[in-house]
Amino acid sequence: MTAASSRSVLTSILPPVVFGVGGLVLWQVLTVAAGVPSFLLPAPTDIAEQFVENFDRILDAAVATGTNALIGLLIGAVLGIAAAMVAVRFHIVDGLLSPLAGAAAAVPIVAMAPLLNSMYSTTTDTPRRMVVTVVVFFPMFVSTAKGLRQVPKVQQDLLTSYAASGWQVTRTVRLPAALPYLFTGLRIAAPGAVIAAVIAEYFGGLQNGLGSRITSAAANTAYPRAWAYVVGAMLVGLVFLLAVLLLEFLTRRPRTTPWRST
């Protein structure tokens, strides 16, 4: 690594690290010096202590919530991409799907989750996965559809002159060109999937996820422990986002996607 690249990495990593550490120190000083009660805002050291003491429980809850978020993310992403491909190909379908996708995005989770819980058994994770699927569908549909429409007309005309079918145009030109937009949608949808899974757990059902443990700890006035589960949820969201960023990085490699420039 050259000196210039080392400085570039340092300037990109150091500021957020310093800001984060400084924020935690200020948080600790204010909560201790001002005597802020734990039900308003626990000190970072108290949260860290509860995180360490309850690490196994937090890990189990994170796996349960992460599984629901992952399944909902995969289903929502596949449905969103497929719907975008159909909508771009057929204008009448676009006119039907776009308002429905907007309506799905406007449905609040706090209204949808209790209804789905009442429709299904309280011993299943299906309602939570359905909530995540609905939340993920909209950003994936909108981002992918926008990317699919960015193909230069000259490329479409060239393939049309070669008698290429609509699917061949989509597969060889539209989808490769739409990858940056698709990953933009995934960067939004991945953390959103975790948030949706956590919120969906607030409204009954299995008591095995992070959202259920947060409400349970808060109801028992164990506020530092509740915040420890919140930290667990944040870490799960970061893992999802990092996985998307890694996948995007791999698709930029010429051996993986030779049609894209590096």
Side-chain angles (χ1 to χ4, degrees), residues 83-96:
M85 292 170 61
V86 176
V88 170
R89 179 81 186 281
F90 304 102
H91 293 292
I92 187 172
V93 178
D94 187 19
L96 294 173

Side-chain angles (χ1 to χ4, degrees), residues 20-36 41-49:
V21 173
L24 287 175
V25 172
L26 181 62
W27 180 357
Q28 179 71 26
V29 171
L30 289 177
T31 52
V32 173
V36 178
L41 186 64
T45 51
D46 295 336
I47 298 172
E49 180 182 355

Side-chain angles (χ1 to χ4, degrees), residues 44-254:
T45 51
D46 295 336
I47 298 172
E49 180 182 355
Q50 289 297 314
F51 187 89
V52 172
E53 291 182 0
N54 297 275
F55 180 77
D56 291 339
R57 296 186 183 90
I58 294 174
L59 181 60
D60 292 340
V63 170
T65 299
T67 300
N68 292 333
L70 179 60
I71 293 175
L73 176 64
L74 293 176
I75 297 175
V78 170
L79 292 177
I81 295 171
M85 292 170 61
V86 176
V88 170
R89 179 81 186 281
F90 304 102
H91 293 292
I92 187 172
V93 178
D94 187 19
L96 294 173
L97 285 180
S98 295
L100 290 177
V107 175
I109 301 175
V110 294
M112 182 168 52
L115 292 176
L116 292 175
N117 279 330
S118 64
M119 293 170 58
Y120 293 88
S121 171
T122 58
T123 60
T124 178
D125 286 315
T126 300
R128 299 167 182 179
R129 295 169 183 177
M130 292 178 66
V131 169
V132 176
T133 299
V134 173
V135 170
V136 168
F137 177 81
F138 179 73
M140 292 306 304
F141 173 79
V142 172
S143 298
T144 305
K146 183 177 181 180
L148 291 172
R149 293 189 177 100
Q150 301 305 309
V151 179
K153 192 174 186 303
V154 63
Q155 297 183 8
Q156 299 183 52
D157 293 341
L158 177 62
L159 287 178
T160 301
S161 67
Y162 289 154
S165 64
W167 166 243
Q168 288 175 323
V169 174
T170 299
R171 180 173 58 84
T172 59
V173 176
R174 290 187 183 275
L175 276 179
L179 280 180
Y181 296 88
L182 189 152
F183 278 107
T184 298
L186 274 178
R187 288 197 298 269
I188 299 172
V194 178
I195 295 172
V198 171
I199 295 177
E201 293 169 352
Y202 289 169
F203 302 97
L206 294 173
Q207 302 296 302
N208 61 343
L210 291 168
S212 303
R213 301 294 175 82
I214 292 171
T215 55
S216 176
N220 291 309
T221 67
Y223 300 107
R225 188 167 76 243
W227 276 84
Y229 283 109
V230 172
V231 172
M234 293 170 56
L235 294 176
V236 174
L238 288 175
V239 168
F240 272 58
L241 179 59
L242 290 174
V244 171
L245 294 177
L246 177 60
L247 183 61
E248 183 177 12
F249 171 76
L250 292 176
T251 63
R252 293 182 182 275
R253 300 179 63 181

